[in-house]
Amino acid sequence: MKRTGSQIVMEVLLEHNVDTVFGYPGGAALNVYDALYDYSDKIHHYITAHEQGAAHAADGYARSTGKTGVVFSTSGPGATNLVTGIATAYMDSIPMVAITCNVSDNMIGRDSFQEISITGVTLPITKHNYFVNKIENLADALRNAFRIANEGRKGPVLVDITKDVTAATTDYTPHKPLPLEPHPKFTEAQIDQIAKIINECKRPVIYFGGGIEASNAREELYELIQKADIPATYTMMAAGVIDCDDPKNLGLIGMHGTIAANKAIDQADLVIALGTRFSDRVALNPKRFAPKAAIIQIDIDASEINKNVLINYSIVGDTKDVLQALLPKIEERKHTDWVEQVTAYQKTVRVPMEGAKLRPKELIEATCDLTDKDTIYVTDVGQHQMWAAQYVRHHKTHHFLTSGGLGTMGFGYGAAIGAQIGNPDKRVIHFTGDGSFHMNMNEGCTAVSYNLPIITIIMDNKVLGMVYQWQTVFYNKHYSQTVLNRKTDFVKVAEGFGATGFACNTLDEFKEAFQKALKINGPVWIECNIDKEERVLPMIPNGGTIDDMITD
């Protein structure tokens, strides 16, 4: 059958069961948006206030649903506005397909209006990208984009299409999604070796990351924890994989991780690293990470083996596949003394704040008290992000969405929009700070336009909190450009967008506002005025170890 390039875009989306896309139209993308008009009964497009918001929405949609996020943009600034969102997805291994439209092929290289080589710009932050200037190549490029985004270590792929290709016509034949490449193979001898080490150790710790979520290996992880009686700690990307109430859950690891998690790593004789990459927020001093332990690393990406920390044993493979092969060889064990020793370190670190009326920990706990276990929590980046990682009662995978690798301020509202659209039956709570929220609060108009009942909790301390904290501790209180004292009235701004706004200064006021917000069918902003001297603790400085941990 004959189809235009724009129709082929829609048909390939349908081949991959895509019914939701985010984006923003423009001149070079007019043909695609014209075709979208005819497919609007099958493909639902959500227009954001800014292309960056669309990219974050596609990301949040992917993280919360397990599907591939799809984002459209036009050429030039439309395409470059996607860059931060694509990089965010790349760093956190999120499957996304970005479809951009460029000027016509005969105008390429002439510095034409809104021309940009977006494939050149995004080459370092995509798994792969395609420049399509011949219609015969379009369908295959799109199909391969979905395949590449989802196989192995997941990530974003960009397809840039010239405008003349979107208008041209060619034969189109429907096709099933391309099969994914098989996961890396490992040997039984490797499994036997790892099993023997685990069966013989005395002080083991499991340290896992987002690779467990990506491979849906939660059940296998639980079985390993229980069968071998091993305490576990996790990176921020894996919050919710094990229940917050599990007695073997040591909590978050790393710079702002728990005392128990960091002490366990320091004293262990075996660290089992599953689907994680030993980032500099975990292994702050790589040469002194787990100094008494042998380290096993299991990861689907061979490039991560020995990249940041030198390890003793490794298997390149999908974590679910490896665990399924490993579990039958694991002996039933009890490490009672060891588990009791490390869990005894669990305690809450509190910052004395005389006269403080609204504390971050208290408002996060109150939020959890008033919502159910299916709630999806989304954060921006900064102090509020770490408080949320520490204090939200995590229960489920794909229910804590945050920018881990890139640390993108402004990520939260777009991601919350994508999560709410992908999960209309679930409550979405967006934690942010006044610094982060100022970056993308323009997406308030998007939340209002689609009547999304996202509750945004703004921890407003009038400073760039995390940087301010570092300046306090390490830079002699030289508060260079971190004391904002902006006069933004978030309640009035919310009302200007058409949302509902509340402001609170005490825990009781917050609880009252939040209970009202739960009954409102539409977006709500709750401004929570907190003290600028609030701290995220514990804290291990860059290059430090457990011996350098700051707890007060």
Side-chain angles (χ1 to χ4, degrees):
M1 66 186 81
K2 295 288 186 180
R3 289 288 187 268
T4 66
S6 297
Q7 290 170 328
I8 289 173
V9 171
M10 304 305 148
E11 294 288 352
V12 174
L13 293 182
L14 293 177
E15 289 176 4
H16 293 82
N17 297 314
V18 173
D19 59 8
T20 301
V21 299
F22 304 88
Y24 204 98
L30 278 172
N31 294 326
V32 168
Y33 275 84
D34 190 55
L36 181 65
Y37 184 89
D38 295 327
Y39 284 77
S40 59
D41 59 328
K42 299 175 183 177
I43 300 173
H44 307 288
H45 180 281
Y46 294 86
I47 182 171
T48 53
H50 189 281
E51 290 90 353
Q52 183 176 328
H56 292 325
D59 182 320
Y61 178 88
R63 291 182 198 236
S64 62
T65 65
K67 301 177 182 178
T68 305
V70 179
V71 61
F72 287 173
S73 87
T74 191
S75 62
T80 58
N81 283 343
L82 298 178
V83 168
T84 298
I86 293 171
T88 301
Y90 182 75
M91 289 290 283
D92 290 344
S93 305
I94 306 302
M96 177 194 293
V97 173
I99 299 173
T100 59
C101 295
N102 215 322
V103 300
S104 292
D105 191 46
N106 66 323
M107 301 302 292
I108 294 291
R110 298 172 178 268
D111 291 336
S112 305
F113 177 68
Q114 293 193 331
E115 177 196 354
I116 193 77
S117 175
I118 194 62
T119 52
V121 171
T122 60
L123 185 63
I125 55 168
T126 52
K127 284 188 70 178
H128 193 70
N129 60 33
Y130 292 91
F131 174 65
V132 182
N133 61 349
K134 297 183 186 302
I135 191 169
E136 295 82 6
N137 300 334
L138 178 58
D140 284 346
L142 290 165
R143 290 165 182 151
N144 277 296
F146 279 92
R147 174 184 61 80
I148 293 169
N150 285 281
E151 70 184 12
R153 181 176 179 173
K154 300 177 182 181
V157 179
L158 181 137
V159 182
D160 190 36
I161 312 166
T162 59
K163 187 172 183 179
D164 54 308
V165 168
T166 65
T169 302
T170 192
D171 290 322
Y172 161 77
T173 303
H175 199 290
K176 292 182 179 179
L178 298 175
L180 305 184
E181 286 188 0
H183 292 149
K185 293 183 178 180
F186 45 86
T187 67
E188 188 169 354
Q190 287 178 293
I191 295 296
D192 288 341
Q193 181 186 46
I194 297 300
K196 183 176 186 294
I197 295 164
I198 294 173
N199 290 335
E200 294 177 352
C201 68
K202 295 180 179 180
R203 302 187 309 279
V205 176
I206 293 172
Y207 146 55
F208 65 92
I212 292 288
E213 278 204 12
S215 65
N216 294 311
R218 186 187 196 196
E219 291 183 7
E220 289 79 6
L221 173 67
Y222 259 104
E223 186 175 345
L224 177 61
I225 290 170
Q226 299 307 321
K227 189 174 185 179
D229 194 31
I230 303 177
T233 179
Y234 54 85
T235 69
M236 192 164 57
M237 298 307 302
V241 171
I242 57 175
D243 196 283
C244 62
D245 298 324
D246 192 298
K248 294 186 182 67
N249 182 351
L250 300 177
L252 188 70
I253 189 174
M255 177 177 284
H256 295 296
T258 66
I259 296 173
N262 285 300
K263 278 188 173 289
I265 291 290
D266 188 65
Q267 298 174 10
D269 67 355
L270 179 66
V271 172
I272 308 165
L274 303 172
T276 189
R277 60 189 180 89
F278 298 92
S279 81
D280 60 312
R281 284 298 187 265
V282 171
L284 293 106
N285 187 327
K287 293 182 179 179
R288 295 177 61 189
F289 182 82
K292 303 171 185 175
I295 301 176
I296 298 168
Q297 185 176 7
I298 298 170
D299 199 277
I300 199 166
D301 186 352
S303 70
E304 291 297 344
I305 306 298
N306 281 317
K307 186 171 87 174
N308 294 321
V309 169
L310 293 178
I311 54 93
N312 303 92
Y313 311 94
S314 66
I315 294 180
V316 177
D318 178 75
T319 52
K320 189 180 186 76
D321 293 347
V322 175
L323 288 175
Q324 286 177 341
L326 181 65
L327 283 166
K329 299 176 183 290
I330 296 297
E331 299 171 0
E332 295 271 357
R333 295 287 304 278
K334 286 295 179 184
H335 297 102
T336 306
D337 292 343
W338 167 242
V339 173
E340 288 180 354
Q341 176 186 334
V342 294
T343 55
Y345 293 126
Q346 290 283 31
K347 66 177 182 178
T348 300
V349 177
R350 292 180 62 84
V351 183
M353 293 285 291
E354 292 183 9
K357 297 179 180 179
L358 185 57
R359 309 296 301 276
K361 180 176 184 291
E362 293 171 342
L363 73 85
I364 291 171
E365 289 176 342
T367 300
C368 294
D369 288 340
L370 295 168
T371 52
D372 60 34
K373 292 183 178 181
D374 279 332
T375 300
I376 296 173
Y377 297 95
V378 186
T379 82
D380 276 289
V381 169
Q383 285 182 310
H384 70 275
Q385 175 191 32
M386 303 314 304
W387 287 321
Q390 291 174 334
Y391 302 133
V392 165
R393 294 179 196 134
H394 304 285
H395 294 286
K396 294 190 175 184
T397 58
H398 307 297
H399 281 58
F400 185 72
L401 316 183
T402 193
S403 171
L406 196 64
T408 305
M409 293 176 69
F411 166 81
Y413 211 3
I417 287 168
Q420 188 70 82
I421 288 169
N423 302 269
D425 58 332
K426 292 183 174 66
R427 172 66 65 182
V428 175
I429 306 295
H430 169 214
F431 287 113
T432 188
D434 55 305
S436 282
F437 198 49
H438 271 107
M439 289 193 170
N440 268 345
M441 68 179 175
N442 53 333
E443 296 304 338
C445 67
T446 308
V448 169
S449 295
Y450 296 106
N451 200 37
L452 303 175
I454 299 164
I455 299 175
T456 295
I457 297 170
I458 308 162
M459 299 188 197
D460 188 0
N461 56 9
K462 305 295 190 296
V463 297
L464 296 178
M466 188 62 85
V467 186
Y468 181 91
Q469 175 172 330
W470 278 64
Q471 288 174 335
T472 301
V473 179
F474 302 114
Y475 290 88
N476 298 316
K477 298 184 179 181
H478 295 167
Y479 299 123
S480 178
Q481 304 305 311
T482 52
V483 180
L484 305 175
N485 284 322
R486 290 171 176 155
K487 306 303 180 185
T488 306
D489 185 326
F490 287 108
V491 174
K492 289 183 179 179
V493 175
E495 292 171 350
F497 276 121
T500 303
F502 297 99
C504 50
N505 296 293
T506 67
L507 184 60
D508 286 342
E509 289 176 355
F510 171 75
K511 289 179 179 178
E512 181 181 358
F514 191 80
Q515 287 172 321
K516 289 179 180 178
L518 290 170
K519 299 175 183 177
I520 294 172
N521 184 27
V524 178
W525 300 2
I526 305 177
E527 179 185 10
C528 303
N529 292 302
I530 65 171
D531 196 287
K532 67 179 183 296
E533 302 305 328
E534 289 280 5
R535 297 286 175 263
V536 178
L537 294 174
M539 177 181 180
I540 301 176
N542 277 333
T545 69
I546 186 70
D547 297 329
D548 305 302
M549 178 178 279
I550 299 168
T551 58
D552 56 44

